[in-house]
Amino acid sequence: MLTEYVSAVLLVAGAIFYLAGTIGLLRFPDVYTRLHALTKADNLGLGLIVIGLSLQASSFAAAGKLFLIWLLVLLAGASVSHLVARAALHKGVHLWKR
Amino acid sequence: MKPVSRFSLPTMTSRFLLFSFIWWILTDGAVNSWWIGIPAVILATLTSVALIPPVKLVWYEVVRFVPYFIFRSVTGGFDVAKRAFHPAIPIAPDLVEYPLRLSPGLPQVFLINTISLLPGTLTAELNQNILKVHVLDAQANFKAEIEAVEQRVARMFSVNLTNRGGGE
């Protein structure tokens, strides 16, 4: 029973970070800052969701699968954001400065 | 590194075990699946040995890296969420250059990906060991942070920070 509550709290917290990432994506001024919002908020958001779901997982392998997904998303997120930022630099996209 | 050492028994064994573990996770330990699993694991082991030279991991440092990474991920998530929700969007972005002390190779790739996941930093380009980093807040002490994580990665892969960055 307690694990279900903990799991629910983690899932909601994860969703809040996803929301933060999306709001950052919409509000931040240029491509580089938007990538910050996506990578950092989604990394933590997905991490919380994975822990939350692992608490309800039926087996160790199921929890392991969720953890593998998190690792792959981290790898993909970091690599893809690097490539998008590099492509933007090469195209001469000016970075927004205050 | 000599090409001969690539196919060393300890490297092959540890990678075989790692891929077997992943297969076990993916199939929920279904016994029948090993008919496909064992050939797949062997192929994956050979491919990985061919593509990635052996790495010497210092396990004590790897274990120490995990809580550090989790803590910094949490900080990074909160930091960017705060800035996204804040009415004034308090950011002062800038593009800075950081001369890497790690030599090219797997540890360097690992470092660059880690920097992109750390709070306030995003790698944008690597050229002659000069890493271009986009920082969300130019006032933050990003240089000390990158130096610290570079040292951690070097200790984890037991490599030296000899590269003086952009020397060539």
Side-chain angles (χ1 to χ4, degrees), chain A residues 16-17 19-21 23-25 27-33 35-41 43-44 58-66 68 70 74-75 77-79 81-83 85-87 89-90 95-98, chain B residues 21-22 24-29 69-70 73-78 80-95 112-126 131-132 134-136:
Chain A
I16 290 171
F17 280 104
L19 181 68
I23 288 178
L25 181 70
R27 291 189 75 206
F28 282 178
D30 68 356
V31 59
Y32 310 101
T33 48
L35 286 172
H36 278 275
L38 278 185
T39 46
K40 277 71 173 182
N43 166 12
L44 181 57
S58 52
S59 65
F60 178 77
K65 222 178 283 180
L66 290 167
L68 274 184
W70 185 62
L74 283 190
L75 184 65
S79 316
S81 62
H82 174 85
L83 292 174
R86 193 177 69 168
L89 267 188
H90 283 204
L95 59 142
W96 181 90
K97 280 194 184 180
R98 193 166 287 282
Chain B
F21 181 61
I22 293 175
W24 179 79
I25 287 177
L26 290 178
T27 56
D28 250 325
F69 182 76
I70 291 173
S73 296
V74 172
T75 316
F78 271 99
V80 88
K82 194 185 72 195
R83 292 174 201 268
F85 283 128
H86 196 287
I89 318 180
I91 51 173
D94 199 3
L95 193 67
I112 293 171
N113 278 331
T114 309
I115 292 174
S116 285
L117 295 170
L118 287 178
T121 49
L122 177 82
T123 60
E125 196 180 22
L126 176 68
L131 187 65
K132 278 190 182 155
H134 185 270
V135 292
L136 202 50

Side-chain angles (χ1 to χ4, degrees), chain B:
Chain B
M1 243 169 269
K2 289 171 294 182
V4 191
S5 65
R6 284 197 164 203
F7 293 90
S8 73
L9 196 62
T11 306
M12 303 272 276
T13 316
S14 55
R15 291 192 188 178
F16 181 83
L17 290 176
L18 173 71
F19 290 125
S20 305
F21 181 61
I22 293 175
W23 183 268
W24 179 79
I25 287 177
L26 290 178
T27 56
D28 250 325
V31 182
N32 285 337
S33 77
W34 287 104
W35 285 110
I36 300 162
I38 296 217
V41 165
I42 290 172
L43 269 178
T45 308
L46 292 174
T47 314
S48 95
V49 175
L51 293 176
I52 305 168
V55 283
K56 218 172 89 199
L57 284 176
V58 181
W59 289 105
Y60 167 71
E61 292 291 342
V62 176
V63 170
R64 275 182 59 190
F65 186 82
V66 173
Y68 165 79
F69 182 76
I70 291 173
F71 176 71
R72 295 309 292 168
S73 296
V74 172
T75 316
F78 271 99
D79 175 68
V80 88
K82 194 185 72 195
R83 292 174 201 268
F85 283 128
H86 196 287
I89 318 180
I91 51 173
D94 199 3
L95 193 67
V96 297
E97 290 191 342
Y98 180 83
L100 286 175
R101 293 172 293 168
L102 273 178
S103 316
L106 187 68
Q108 200 189 58
V109 174
F110 185 87
L111 172 70
I112 293 171
N113 278 331
T114 309
I115 292 174
S116 285
L117 295 170
L118 287 178
T121 49
L122 177 82
T123 60
E125 196 180 22
L126 176 68
N127 196 2
Q128 307 274 18
N129 277 316
I130 303 277
L131 187 65
K132 278 190 182 155
V133 184
H134 185 270
V135 292
L136 202 50
D137 188 350
Q139 271 94 59
N141 197 2
F142 48 84
K143 194 155 184 279
E145 164 111 40
I146 298 177
E147 273 170 6
V149 69
E150 192 177 33
Q151 261 156 21
R152 278 178 185 273
V153 172
R155 286 202 302 265
M156 231 166 77
F157 288 91
S158 67
V159 287
N160 293 322
L161 291 175
T162 44
N163 205 318
R164 284 281 116 215
E168 57 257 84

